[in-house]
Amino acid sequence: MDEKVTVDGLTFVPYITRDEIAAQVKRVADELRNDIKGKNPLFLCVLNGAFMFAADLIREVGINDAHINFVKYTSYEGTSSTGKVKEIMGLTEDIEGMDVVIVEDIVDTGLTASMMINDLKKRNPRSIRFVTLLHKPESSKTGFKPDYVAFTIPPKFIIGYGLDLDGKVRNLKDIYVIDEQD
Ligand code: IMP
């Protein structure tokens, strides 16, 4: 793990290692597999940030009949939420009667999650579960609570393992937090 990462003039320090991520991905995958036993889930990966988490989680859950699809929303500019959620790429697949598992990178204000769930409910799925890699409960503006959380964290800006700063550093294998000494 690199000591520090600098991007766009901001410094980030190590926060969650790849081994800690792998252990929590396994724990969440075990819980989810147990809860959706006998069902045929549709995993909905929320682009872009959740692509790496979704790839690891879905492989760990290991249900060969599961379907995988993608949706895309944006709300962030730089290191803060704009408060407005935009759907960039919607779902074309019919989800009526399906057991949907939304896979998100991070729940911050909860606006994206609430909007997405409201939207999906109109399409009559049998159930909706919400999995997130990270949850910042102190930033909530909606009271939204994810069903499965790998890590609960304070309201600090983080990068890596799919999470970006203006589109960069999604490639990092570990998670870094903004250096408050900066
Ligand atoms: P929400 O709608 O405010 O809950 O924000 C959700 C989206 O904001 C996430 O899917 C991320 O794309 C982005 N986001 C929130 N916090 C962070 C962060 O600390 N680092 C990078 N992206 C973040």
Side-chain angles (χ1 to χ4, degrees):
M1 191 168 189
D2 294 331
E3 277 296 293
K4 281 186 177 180
V5 174
T6 303
V7 49
D8 288 350
L10 295 173
T11 307
F12 291 82
V13 292
Y15 191 47
I16 305 173
T17 66
R18 66 197 76 179
D19 292 347
E20 288 164 341
I21 296 170
Q24 292 309 308
V25 167
K26 188 173 181 318
R27 173 186 60 81
V28 170
D30 289 346
E31 283 173 32
L32 191 57
R33 192 185 318 104
N34 201 39
D35 293 351
I36 57 179
K37 211 181 283 162
K39 299 197 172 83
N40 190 6
L42 164 66
F43 287 102
L44 271 191
C45 169
V46 187
L47 295 173
N48 293 335
F51 78 99
M52 214 176 266
F53 174 49
D56 286 344
L57 181 79
I58 294 166
R59 282 182 291 180
E60 196 64 48
V61 173
I63 300 178
N64 295 349
D65 289 337
H67 286 208
I68 303 170
N69 217 324
F70 302 88
V71 287
K72 186 167 179 174
Y73 298 86
T74 56
S75 64
Y76 253 63
E77 263 167 31
T79 59
S80 60
S81 174
T82 61
K84 292 192 201 94
V85 182
K86 271 195 288 184
E87 186 188 81
I88 308 289
M89 186 179 101
L91 187 65
T92 47
E93 192 174 336
D94 183 11
I95 61 165
E96 185 154 351
M98 298 194 77
D99 294 296
V100 174
V101 180
I102 300 169
V103 184
E104 178 62 295
D105 56 352
I106 181 162
V107 174
D108 183 39
T109 62
L111 288 166
T112 311
S114 309
M115 187 188 119
M116 205 181 334
I117 289 175
N118 277 346
D119 241 36
L120 292 173
K121 275 187 179 158
K122 293 181 199 146
R123 300 156 179 251
N124 302 318
R126 187 159 68 165
S127 62
I128 299 179
R129 289 176 172 77
F130 196 102
V131 188
T132 187
L133 174 67
L134 298 139
H135 184 206
K136 296 181 187 169
E138 290 164 52
S139 309
S140 180
K141 290 190 177 152
T142 54
F144 172 75
K145 288 199 176 60
D147 302 305
Y148 305 87
V149 177
F151 299 94
T152 300
I153 61 166
K156 293 181 181 164
F157 190 76
I158 55 156
I159 55 161
Y161 192 66
L163 288 123
D164 71 312
L165 173 58
D166 281 338
K168 300 171 195 164
V169 290
R170 293 192 195 275
N171 62 300
L172 298 170
K173 293 179 181 171
D174 309 279
I175 294 175
Y176 295 76
V177 66
I178 199 153
D179 187 358
E180 291 186 330
Q181 259 109 67
D182 240 18

